[in-house]
Amino acid sequence: MSHIASQHPAPEHFILHVSDTHFVGDGDLLYERIDSDKNLAELFDGFTKANARPEAIVFTGDLADTGRPDAYERLRAIVEPAAEKLGAQVIWVMGNHDERVAFRRGLLDEEADQSEPVDRVYDVNGLRIIALDSTVPGQHHGEISDEQLAWLRRELEVPAPDGTLIALHHPPVPSPLGLGALFELRDQERLAEVIRGTDVRGILGGHLHYSTTSTFAGVPVSVASATCYTQDLAVAYPGARGQDGGQSYNLVHVYGDRVLHSVVPIGQFPTVYEMTPEMLEAFMNMTPDEQLAAVNASAGE
């Protein structure tokens, strides 16, 4: 096939960013309406058709709605076969709906009854991903302790070959929702002091149930929406409304000089036009006049 020239090189890393699966009891529906298991399975069914190969899949928290052990079991039963097929490493991050002991046992295969924050460092082919536990047991807001900040500072003292992404549940961003202050990450400037000037190239978050982007300490922040339900941002202020629609996940492409975040909706939608790889190959072998004619024909002109 003829090569399509681009100003940009191929990305150095490719990550899937998924958040807020909120798995409930087996056979139950979230809010008696949302089939969380089905939504996540549909995500992977749709993504595998793309024939793309991410290096890692990062889940930024609220994986089980009430921290039930069986919810984590069903989550792994969906994710691990899909990840193995894709050849991707799985990175789990704690959310405020998760329970630390059950999280450790169900997702990390740790048997110890440890209630300390679940912080981990992962090497993804030279890209460092730090899973930072921003949860406060029994609370919806987020905090990062002095001990965690000291640990993070030590980790960031030595740069990684391809830089660092930090993944945490509570993103350090403002929210247009009136109740945002109730569940935000507190004392954010303390985290900013640790991150500023390091090799951190991006922050991945969840928790909000809608996609958004911002900057923090000079670092881009990308929040993935939920796979279960989403927040209606057109609701009358300062109200809130969860809706069964708009569920999505993010593609994260890491280039040498930038990180690209793309939102992908979950589900199948009517086709407007389609160009298969075979059609594209034929198109690239056409003359400019033939290409113009083909484009006009596909548009019904």
Side-chain angles (χ1 to χ4, degrees):
M1 174 177 160
S2 300
H3 178 67
I4 303 176
S6 173
Q7 300 177 71
H8 305 286
E12 297 176 357
H13 299 282
F14 173 33
I15 308 296
L16 277 190
H17 177 196
V18 183
S19 200
D20 293 84
T21 54
H22 282 268
F23 272 34
V24 291
D26 190 10
D28 295 338
L29 298 178
L30 182 63
Y31 291 116
E32 300 182 350
R33 180 183 182 93
I34 306 296
D35 190 336
S36 301
D37 301 49
K38 177 179 176 294
N39 286 358
L40 186 62
E42 188 172 6
L43 181 159
F44 285 113
D45 287 344
F47 178 77
T48 53
K49 296 176 183 177
N51 199 30
R53 292 293 180 267
E55 298 162 90
I57 308 173
V58 179
F59 287 82
T60 49
D62 279 3
L63 308 176
D65 189 61
T66 58
R68 291 175 54 122
D70 62 313
Y72 293 124
E73 291 175 5
R74 297 198 326 279
L75 181 64
R76 290 184 69 167
I78 292 175
V79 172
E80 290 183 346
E84 183 177 4
K85 184 177 181 179
L86 294 169
Q89 181 179 0
V90 180
I91 297 175
W92 307 108
V93 181
M94 271 283 299
N96 57 282
H97 279 261
D98 294 304
E99 197 279 324
R100 285 174 177 168
V101 172
F103 181 98
R104 280 191 165 91
R105 291 180 175 179
L107 298 180
L108 304 180
D109 295 324
E110 297 179 1
E111 292 300 324
D113 293 335
Q114 297 180 3
S115 58
E116 292 80 9
V118 186
D119 301 320
R120 297 287 186 277
V121 179
Y122 300 87
D123 177 16
V124 182
N125 302 318
L127 176 69
R128 177 168 56 191
I129 299 181
I130 297 179
L132 188 61
D133 186 349
S134 59
T135 66
V136 180
Q139 303 295 324
H140 289 295
H141 71 271
E143 294 179 5
I144 300 173
S145 69
D146 292 338
E147 292 78 13
Q148 288 179 282
L149 290 172
W151 170 82
L152 180 62
R153 190 185 299 274
R154 290 192 299 270
E155 291 294 333
L156 295 176
E157 286 178 351
V158 179
D162 295 335
T164 297
L165 298 179
I166 292 180
L168 77 171
H169 186 60
H170 298 82
V173 299
S175 173
L177 291 176
L179 48 74
L182 299 177
F183 53 73
E184 68 184 3
L185 179 67
R186 296 183 179 175
D187 297 322
Q188 294 179 15
E189 184 54 36
R190 296 168 67 241
L191 176 61
E193 291 174 358
V194 175
I195 291 175
R196 193 176 286 114
T198 67
D199 75 337
V200 176
R201 304 182 58 191
I203 298 173
L204 309 181
H207 189 49
L208 302 182
H209 289 240
Y210 60 86
S211 301
T212 194
T213 58
S214 185
T215 57
F216 177 74
V219 175
V221 180
S222 178
V223 179
S225 186
T227 64
C228 57
Y229 71 91
T230 67
Q231 287 287 344
D232 180 4
L233 295 187
V235 70
Y237 189 88
R241 173 181 172 267
Q243 60 187 359
D244 184 7
Q247 295 91 336
S248 63
Y249 60 100
N250 287 8
L251 311 180
V252 182
H253 291 89
V254 180
Y255 293 83
D257 62 347
R258 70 196 70 193
V259 182
L260 179 69
H261 303 271
S262 305
V263 179
V264 182
I266 298 173
Q268 300 297 315
F269 307 95
T271 300
V272 177
Y273 76 90
E274 183 174 12
M275 183 172 285
T276 65
E278 295 76 18
M279 293 169 63
L280 181 59
E281 181 174 6
F283 182 82
M284 293 305 300
N285 290 323
M286 294 178 183
T287 66
D289 288 342
E290 290 172 334
Q291 290 177 343
L292 179 60
V295 170
N296 289 339
S298 67
E301 297 181 5

